Amino acid sequence: MSTLRMTTAQALVKFMNQQYVEVDGEQHRLIHGVFTIFGHGNVVGLGQALEQDAGELVVHQGCNEQGMAHIAMGFAKQHKRKKIYAVTSSVGPGAANMVTAAATATANRIPVLFLPGDVFATRQPDPVLQQVEQYHDNTISTNDCFRPVSRYWDRVSRPEQLMSAMINAMRVLTDPADTGAVTVCLPQDVQGEAFDFPEYFFQKRVHRIERRPATEAMIQDAVELIRRKKKPMLICGGGVRYSEAHEAFRQFAEQFNIPFGETQAGKSAIVSEHELNLGGVGTTGGLAANLIAKEADLVIGVGTRFTDFTTASKSLFQHPEVEFLTLNVAEFDAHKLDATAVVADAQVAMSAIGLQLAEADYRSSYRDEITDAKAAWNAELARLFAVEYQEGFSPEIAGQLDDKLPEYSDALQTRLTQTRVLGLLDQHLEDDAIIVGAAGSLPGDLQRVWQPKQPDTYHMEYGYSCMGYEIAASVGAKIARPQQPVYAMVGDGSYMMLHSELQTAIQEGLKITVLLFDNAGFGCINNLQMSQGMGSFGTENRHRDPATGGMTGNLVKVDFAKNAESYGCKGYTVHTEAELLAALEDARQQPVSTLIDIKVLPKTMTHGYESWWRTGTAQVAENPDVVAAAESIQQVLETKARQY
């Protein structure tokens, strides 16, 4: 047996260079590169291996461990999970910083390879710098925190363990039903240890992402169920995009006249102007999709996890005889809502079911309901896009901080409303622009009002709703699609959570544009707390009032444009429509990343449309409004919401 003597880290790098995927007969390299932040726990091990011979791997320097992992996630998501990055950190806080990103990847089913440094396997220098000692178990380290948020977790305590660990890692990273964060912990002494690795470990490996077919029984069950129903509705989930089933989904909807709503992950599989596209569905959905959903007698979920936002906490689908049919490559998701399950690739399953439905000459019984619902929503969109702040103004989220709006207008020097700004952006951004978002009020607004004009231009992380994902993931999306403009849609709260990867964008010569909506607070959560009977508490960006000790002083003013300029970006501060349009035009001409700080009024985002969301509202409180809100939740649970 031929062997190669090298360190564990060197073997890992050589192995990663030899991993390929094959989809529909086409092969390409799986691992594009490695994002690094070096510390004592990985620099002289994995760092040395990458310096000596990185092969075809592109090595990038990150600024924040969570941020660089979000870049990796944004890259993989934009590549429909068929190309990935590895990310490596030092032991201790560097590793801990990546746990949030690992959870984000797993919640969204996005493959990312995490390679955190670990404590010494020999334990000779214990406690090593940054080691957390647990008195009851010396095998525990910070990296054990990755266990509950990883699809696969391993620790390489001996060099020869690398082989089985990495083969299993590749299995999970390339499994469309079970992918997510894969964590392989690398004790810092083992990284540098030499071993005679067999040459066959480094052979080219092609991981085929197979299109799992549906069984004949599954197809028959689906066909029989659909044929019994008059008004089915499709839900376009992220699996449609990852399967690249865009065309199969469109043909299915058109052939059988079935309207569809979009989840956050599925949005932009089909362009918004399509006559059967009802737009966002669920808690953050729009009027058209939610009206049709209430009357649908069959809900056909394609590649969706049926989260609480998609189902409006299982309250949305109100037809007395509604049933569910789910097409999903993941068996876990296919059986949700007690659905008839078709465990298969979305593209293959829709084609197979469509053939038999066509033979049966099936067509839904919709008449004018679809066009009427779309017309009503289009009229509402036009109204939202035209909302302007003026005397006697009533905000979209009325009854909450209404009397504070003049203060906000004066402090921020703006009369811009959030929906008006989104309308202008929807009109003026490039048709092929990729917009990236994650948390706050913007995901709800964007799912409702954004009108994608080209496929795969809507990039939203909403499985984990991770504040701080937006800017980093935009960098990843730009690496994945360098010829398309990329815009990060971010609120002031998310920006302050994590924006350090702007420096990475400058360092790498990658141009993104950050569209920052500054309403001086955590507006989304302020809406939530006040809708549940609470006052405004701890969610506005205010100075502490020395007289009362409360967080009720003047609004804190932040110049986000200057912050971005400190990284080397071009910054703009916008208070008017004219300034916004001028900034957009000038930003297009810039060779570097840009940030447009858009001052907007709070409470001017969109509200719910025929939807509900369950919250854990206090059932006992001194404030009677809180108790009333809790009683309202209980009433919906008893009268409208499904129990499972």
Side-chain angles (χ1 to χ4, degrees), residues 481-502:
R481 295 287 180 260
Q483 302 307 315
Q484 290 180 250
V486 177
Y487 293 84
M489 298 278 203
V490 61
D492 53 309
S494 275
Y495 181 85
M496 287 191 281
M497 284 274 186
L498 185 60
H499 56 262
S500 54
E501 266 47 46
L502 277 174

Side-chain angles (χ1 to χ4, degrees), residues 448-460:
R448 291 183 181 116
V449 310
W450 197 254
Q451 309 288 292
K453 299 159 185 72
Q454 292 189 17
D456 300 324
T457 54
Y458 185 86
H459 181 129
M460 190 66 54

Side-chain angles (χ1 to χ4, degrees), residues 55-347:
E56 297 297 318
L57 300 174
V58 182
V59 181
H60 304 269
Q61 177 185 336
C63 295
N64 174 283
E65 291 87 358
Q66 179 182 330
M68 71 178 184
H70 285 326
I71 294 176
M73 183 179 165
F75 174 88
K77 184 177 176 72
Q78 198 63 43
H79 267 300
K80 303 186 181 74
R81 310 192 301 192
K82 297 174 180 67
K83 289 186 180 181
I84 71 169
Y85 265 95
V87 291
T88 179
S89 74
S90 187
V91 64
N97 280 348
M98 295 198 298
V99 172
T100 299
T104 305
T106 294
N108 287 274
R109 318 290 169 83
I110 302 298
V112 178
L113 175 58
F114 290 83
L115 301 171
D118 211 329
V119 299
F120 277 69
T122 64
R123 304 187 189 173
Q124 179 272 325
D126 284 7
V128 68
L129 179 65
Q130 298 181 337
Q131 180 174 350
V132 177
E133 293 184 282
Q134 289 292 351
Y135 307 150
H136 67 287
D137 189 343
N138 276 333
T139 68
I140 293 176
S141 79
T142 297
N143 289 340
D144 287 87
C145 297
F146 284 93
R147 289 178 182 265
V149 296
S150 298
R151 287 292 184 206
Y152 177 78
W153 184 97
D154 208 341
R155 176 177 280 128
V156 179
S157 298
R158 291 176 58 87
E160 55 265 46
Q161 293 176 354
L162 178 73
M163 294 177 282
S164 61
M166 292 310 300
I167 289 171
N168 274 304
M170 294 304 115
R171 170 181 58 81
V172 176
L173 288 166
T174 58
D175 183 347
D178 197 35
T179 196
V182 167
T183 302
V184 178
C185 311
L186 302 173
Q188 50 196 299
D189 52 345
V190 178
Q191 290 179 48
E193 286 184 12
F195 184 76
D196 295 318
F197 288 91
E199 277 194 302
Y200 58 76
F201 178 57
F202 305 111
Q203 66 187 354
K204 177 180 177 179
R205 282 182 171 80
V206 179
H207 307 273
R208 290 186 177 87
I209 300 180
E210 306 282 5
R211 294 194 178 277
R212 178 175 178 173
T215 65
E216 188 59 34
M218 289 177 181
I219 295 170
Q220 287 298 322
D221 287 346
V223 171
E224 290 174 9
L225 177 56
I226 295 172
R227 289 184 64 187
R228 287 195 286 108
K229 300 298 183 176
K230 296 180 178 181
K231 292 186 177 181
M233 178 184 184
L234 285 158
I235 306 294
C236 180
V240 174
R241 294 175 64 182
Y242 301 141
S243 171
E244 299 185 86
H246 307 56
E247 186 63 17
F249 187 95
R250 183 190 63 78
Q251 290 179 0
F252 190 94
E254 290 175 355
Q255 186 171 7
F256 308 114
N257 191 41
I258 303 177
F260 59 91
E262 304 167 306
T263 70
Q264 292 280 20
K267 191 175 178 74
S268 81
I270 312 295
V271 296
S272 289
E273 66 180 7
H274 192 281
E275 62 185 5
L276 294 172
N277 190 346
L278 302 173
V281 65
T283 300
T284 51
L287 184 64
N290 287 350
L291 283 174
I292 295 297
K294 286 180 179 294
E295 301 301 323
D297 58 4
L298 174 64
V299 178
I300 307 172
V302 185
T304 175
R305 298 188 299 126
F306 278 123
T307 67
D308 63 338
F309 268 72
T310 299
T311 67
S313 298
K314 299 185 177 69
S315 71
L316 183 61
F317 309 109
Q318 291 294 307
H319 192 286
E321 297 178 6
V322 67
E323 294 182 71
F324 297 86
L325 170 64
T326 303
L327 284 59
N328 203 299
V329 72
E331 189 169 2
F332 180 83
D333 294 318
H335 286 89
K336 289 176 179 175
L337 294 174
D338 204 18
T340 296
V342 177
V343 184
D345 172 80
Q347 185 182 127

